[in-house]
DNA sequence: CTGAACATCT
């Protein structure tokens, strides 16, 4: 399957980089990934006795995690002798994206026990786990521990995660105050999370405020208009919806596309 | 060479 002959009849054997790239493609393919193809690559690895290196193992975990095959992801992880921070991040992420927030957080304990130092990606994943599991206290503690315990300076992604954590738990007031107290200007991703929190809570007034700032930052981002307009609509605030429509036209966005802006790019 | 990453919209 994997051996290809070129025009001159040469046979090319895939090396580690080839297999890792292919697995990454399977994991990131839109529409839930390509599990069948990923499994075929795993089969190839087994049949040809290809050594499962740290890179290859991590790519396998990620592929299985993202295609919903958590069992296989865990199996690959358990068999790996050498693990790096990416390997741990991949398994924690697999657990989170398959609804096992608690287990993901337990895995972080194992990681620390094995003296593996987490990095900024680890915390994005952990904070996401807390947001989904509604573990507000723990999430805030983890966020604080980044700088105090692990010497990692939280970046805008982490602030966005905390806003999402508070927002999902219905703590809109806290989310808003958290943004106000950020050490740098909140960027679009943070304001986007706050706007999402407004939607959950149905707070039109704050949404109005945040939405205006957000549209100043991203006047061409049609998704932002959609969220804001939905918040207005849910509240029956047709006046604001009409006004928003005018702003859209002014910014040259004349129509909400049938499909996602991101999906069509 | 090659691996890990939140959330929101139709």
């Amino acid at each position: 399957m994997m051996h290809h002959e070129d025009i001159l009849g040469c046979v090319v054997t895939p090396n580690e980089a080839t297999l890792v790239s292919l697995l990454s493609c399977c994991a990131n393919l839109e529409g839930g990934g390509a599990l069948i193809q990923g499994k075929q690559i795993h089969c190839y690895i087994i049949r040809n006795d290809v050594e499962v290196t740290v890179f290859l193992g991590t790519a396998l975990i990620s592929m299985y995690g993202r295609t919903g095959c958590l069992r296989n992801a865990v199996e690959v992880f358990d068999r790996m002798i050498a693990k790096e921070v990416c390997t741990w991040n991949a398994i924690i992420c697999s657990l989170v994206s398959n609804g096992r927030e608690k287990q993901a957080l337990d895995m972080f304990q194992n990681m620390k026990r094995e003296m593996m130092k987490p990095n900024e990606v680890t915390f994005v994943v952990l904070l996401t786990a807390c947001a989904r599991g509604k573990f507000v206290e723990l999430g805030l503690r983890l966020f604080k521990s980044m700088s105090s315990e692990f010497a990692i300076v939280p970046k805008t992604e982490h602030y966005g995660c905390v806003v999402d954590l508070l927002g999902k738990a219905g703590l809109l007031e806290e989310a808003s105050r958290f943004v106000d107290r950020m050490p740098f200007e909140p960027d679009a991703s943070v304001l986007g999370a706050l706007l999402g929190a407004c939607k959950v809570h149905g707070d039109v007034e704050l949404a109005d405020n945040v939405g205006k700032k957000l549209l100043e930052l991203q006047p061409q981002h049609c998704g932002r208009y959609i969220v804001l307009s939905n918040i207005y609509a849910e509240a029956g605030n047709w006046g604001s919806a009409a006004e928003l429509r005018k702003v859209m036209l002014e910014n040259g966005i004349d129509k909400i596309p049938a499909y996602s802006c991101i999906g069509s790019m």
Side-chain angles (χ1 to χ4, degrees):
Chain A
M1 157 199 65
M2 305 284 296
H3 294 283
H4 296 298
E5 284 186 18
D6 68 12
I7 329 164
L8 300 172
C10 297
V11 172
V12 180
T13 307
N15 64 8
E16 186 190 18
T18 319
L19 296 169
V20 168
S21 306
L22 287 171
L23 286 168
S24 163
C25 286
C26 294
N28 296 317
L29 205 68
E30 57 180 313
L35 177 60
I36 310 277
Q37 287 83 349
K39 275 188 172 169
Q40 283 177 341
I41 296 163
H42 195 184
C43 265
Y44 173 90
I45 290 167
I46 294 165
R47 268 191 290 117
N48 293 280
D49 262 321
V50 176
E51 188 200 349
V52 178
T53 58
V54 182
F55 261 72
L56 208 40
T58 303
L60 279 168
I61 292 166
S62 169
M63 182 277 293
Y64 279 127
R66 291 183 75 139
T67 52
C69 251
L70 185 59
R71 201 175 281 271
N72 295 33
V74 171
E75 197 184 308
V76 172
F77 179 82
D78 286 341
R79 281 172 195 255
M80 287 173 70
I81 311 287
K83 291 167 180 136
E84 281 172 22
V85 62
C86 288
T87 319
W88 287 93
N89 290 345
I91 193 67
I92 293 173
C93 185
S94 297
L95 289 164
V96 176
S97 52
N98 286 277
R100 311 290 156 89
E101 294 86 10
K102 188 75 186 57
Q103 286 182 46
L105 293 160
D106 289 344
M107 195 57 91
F108 178 56
Q109 298 304 320
N110 298 343
M111 180 179 179
K112 286 195 290 187
R113 206 170 300 129
E114 306 218 351
M115 302 310 236
M116 181 61 67
K117 270 171 73 97
N119 65 9
E120 66 280 2
V121 174
T122 317
F123 282 97
V124 169
V125 183
L126 291 174
L127 291 170
T128 306
C130 291
R132 293 201 183 171
K134 295 215 166 58
F135 310 130
V136 179
E137 287 302 316
L138 179 56
L140 292 176
R141 238 186 299 136
L142 283 167
F143 178 78
K144 285 179 194 138
S145 77
M146 288 179 68
S147 35
S148 66
E149 232 182 286
F150 301 99
I152 300 168
V153 180
K155 294 205 288 204
T156 178
E157 295 95 310
H158 303 105
Y159 285 91
C161 287
V162 172
V163 170
D164 192 47
L165 169 81
L166 295 168
K168 273 204 169 62
L171 301 170
L172 190 53
E173 192 93 357
E174 284 83 347
S176 178
R177 258 191 288 129
F178 182 78
V179 173
D180 289 338
R181 279 185 290 180
M182 279 176 61
F184 50 87
E185 277 300 303
D187 73 347
S189 74
V190 173
L191 292 177
L194 189 53
L195 188 60
C198 293
K199 186 179 161 58
V200 175
H201 210 260
D203 190 323
V204 191
E205 207 176 313
L206 186 59
D208 207 55
N209 198 342
V210 175
K212 284 203 172 85
K213 283 187 204 158
L214 196 49
L215 293 177
E216 267 172 41
L217 287 174
Q218 299 182 313
Q220 300 304 318
H221 194 309
C222 63
R224 304 300 187 197
Y225 295 91
I226 296 170
V227 180
L228 192 53
S229 136
N230 283 346
I231 294 172
Y232 289 145
E234 267 172 44
N237 196 337
W238 310 115
S240 299
E243 220 171 283
L244 182 63
R245 176 101 197 131
K246 231 170 68 186
V247 179
M248 284 180 72
L249 289 169
E250 280 164 13
N251 290 331
I253 296 172
D254 52 342
K255 178 161 69 189
I256 291 174
Y259 300 99
S260 154
C261 290
I262 298 149
S264 59
M265 277 173 19

